[in-house]
Amino acid sequence: FRRYSSNQNILAQGSGSVDSADADYEYESEIGLTIDDDDADNDGKVVPVSPSEEEKEKKREERRRKKEAKRKEKEKAELRETCRWLTGELTDITRDYTTFRDPPKKPEPPPSGLFGGFLTIAGHTPQKERKAKVVDPGTITRNVHKLSRTLRPYQQEDAHEFLRSLLSTLTMEGQNRQLSALFDGLLESSVTCQTCGYASLTRDRYMDLSLDIADSSISNLTDALRHFTKTETLDENNMVDCRKCQERQIVTKGLRLATAPTILVCHLKRFAWNMYGQQIRLSKDVSFPLQLDIDKCMSKANRSTPP
């Protein structure tokens, strides 16, 4: 009764008569109690009514939603903190590289010996080789587990996976659209029926392209991209159901770049399987041009001249 008397909804009604015989008495369901002639004895005892299974399920679902919302919020906070940490480390590394200064040159002693004297007379003074700019990314490589749980510090890890984890952290899983737009692109997969010409198109987001280089005809990046976007024919046992023909038909399948990002990241597949089922590393040289023409790799819907 203490809970019932402290109900703010009832207190707000003030004094007055209440028809206890009203079947739509709205406050009984809120407190989980009911008073009925059949449920009360002569002493006026109240029999609690247990909530139904539907109400229990609603409460459980509400608790699950709240728990899931807290988990997502915690993950977002951790991602923001990791992004701030990585941005700060990359900023420091970039600043160290751009502000690198060559050490002051020390006067070199004159060359000795007959050959050295000859060089001095001829005006040729040997100079020390200039040191290259070097920065230490150890603050990141020693904490790769912050980028991804699958990466472990002080272990040999895949460079492609490291780069994807680094970019995903910087872009905050696509939340930082301004930065993500530099690497984002759309890859178009087309399946065309050779009987009726019906084409099924699917576009997926990509941040890098994994290019196969195992074929002997691939010697440069242009060849790898052409091999990646080549069209293949699916016939015999590989025929596909055509939506227009309503039966299995011979089709052609291929990939094209629907959109190209500002920065195109290409990953060369350096591992392959030999005829004995063993994994081998491909050490072949793959050259790349200073200017890459990807016109033939683009989708027909996006072959306009870029600005």
Side-chain angles (χ1 to χ4, degrees):
F1 288 124
R2 183 179 304 130
R3 179 182 178 186
Y4 190 88
S5 63
S6 62
N7 191 304
Q8 298 299 322
N9 292 329
I10 296 180
L11 295 177
Q13 297 294 327
S15 60
S17 62
V18 178
D19 186 5
S20 60
D22 189 359
D24 295 330
Y25 187 57
E26 59 181 345
Y27 302 112
E28 294 176 358
S29 59
E30 295 183 5
I31 61 176
L33 298 173
T34 182
I35 301 177
D36 200 349
D37 294 339
D38 297 335
D39 297 332
D41 54 17
N42 296 331
D43 297 333
K45 294 181 180 179
V46 178
V47 179
V49 177
S50 59
S52 63
E53 289 299 326
E54 184 178 354
E55 293 176 348
K56 290 181 180 179
E57 183 61 29
K58 288 182 179 180
K59 291 182 179 179
R60 285 194 292 265
E61 183 64 26
E62 183 66 22
R63 286 195 295 267
R64 282 194 293 266
R65 284 198 297 265
K66 290 182 179 180
K67 187 176 181 180
E68 182 67 15
K70 289 182 180 179
R71 185 187 65 81
K72 290 183 178 180
E73 186 61 32
K74 182 179 179 182
E75 289 181 353
K76 288 182 180 180
E78 292 177 351
L79 184 60
R80 286 192 294 267
E81 184 63 27
T82 305
C83 182
R84 281 194 291 266
W85 164 77
L86 181 59
T87 303
E89 296 297 339
L90 290 176
T91 302
D92 293 340
I93 292 175
T94 305
R95 185 182 296 112
D96 292 341
Y97 182 82
T98 54
T99 59
F100 182 86
R101 294 290 184 272
D102 292 332
K105 296 182 179 180
K106 297 180 180 180
E108 299 180 1
S112 59
L114 179 62
F115 186 70
F118 173 76
L119 291 177
T120 303
I121 295 173
H124 298 283
T125 303
Q127 296 180 356
K128 292 184 178 180
E129 185 179 357
R130 181 181 178 183
K131 294 182 179 180
K133 297 180 179 180
V134 178
V135 293
D136 180 18
T139 54
I140 298 177
T141 57
R142 288 191 293 267
N143 296 278
V144 291
H145 59 283
K146 292 184 178 181
L147 304 179
S148 174
R149 296 179 181 178
T150 61
L151 299 177
R152 298 167 298 172
Y154 305 103
Q155 299 291 331
Q156 184 176 357
E157 298 289 357
D158 184 63
H160 180 219
E161 185 178 357
F162 169 76
L163 177 61
R164 297 197 69 172
S165 300
L166 187 141
L167 293 179
S168 296
T169 302
L170 282 178
T171 59
M172 296 182 64
E173 303 291 347
Q175 297 180 33
N176 187 343
R177 296 184 179 181
Q178 185 176 3
L179 181 59
S180 179
L182 296 176
F183 302 92
D184 279 349
L186 287 177
L187 190 64
E188 181 181 279
S189 173
S190 63
V191 179
T192 306
C193 177
Q194 296 302 292
T195 302
C196 66
Y198 175 79
S200 175
L201 301 179
T202 304
R203 293 190 176 114
D204 297 307
R205 173 178 170 266
Y206 73 92
M207 295 188 71
D208 56 71
L209 299 178
S210 295
L211 306 178
D212 189 5
I213 60 172
D215 195 282
S216 58
S217 63
I218 300 175
S219 60
N220 52 53
L221 183 59
T222 303
D223 295 338
L225 283 171
R226 289 176 181 174
H227 184 272
F228 179 78
T229 57
K230 73 176 182 179
T231 302
E232 58 178 338
T233 302
L234 304 180
D235 54 5
E236 297 179 355
N237 297 330
N238 297 321
M239 291 192 297
V240 178
D241 291 328
C242 176
R243 292 184 179 181
K244 189 174 181 179
C245 298
Q246 297 297 320
E247 60 179 333
R248 297 174 66 84
Q249 299 286 4
I250 298 176
V251 300
T252 57
K253 182 180 180 180
L255 294 175
R256 291 290 188 275
L257 303 183
T259 62
T262 304
I263 302 175
L264 178 62
V265 179
C266 295
H267 162 238
L268 304 182
K269 295 182 180 180
R270 286 285 180 181
F271 290 94
W273 300 93
N274 61 13
M275 57 183 301
Y276 304 105
Q278 299 173 337
Q279 191 178 43
I280 58 174
R281 178 178 176 83
L282 304 176
S283 58
K284 63 187 295 185
D285 293 333
V286 179
S287 60
F288 56 91
L290 297 179
Q291 185 174 359
L292 183 64
D293 185 5
I294 59 173
D295 176 68
K296 295 182 179 180
C297 301
M298 299 300 298
S299 169
K300 293 181 180 179
N302 191 14
R303 285 191 174 179
S304 59
T305 303

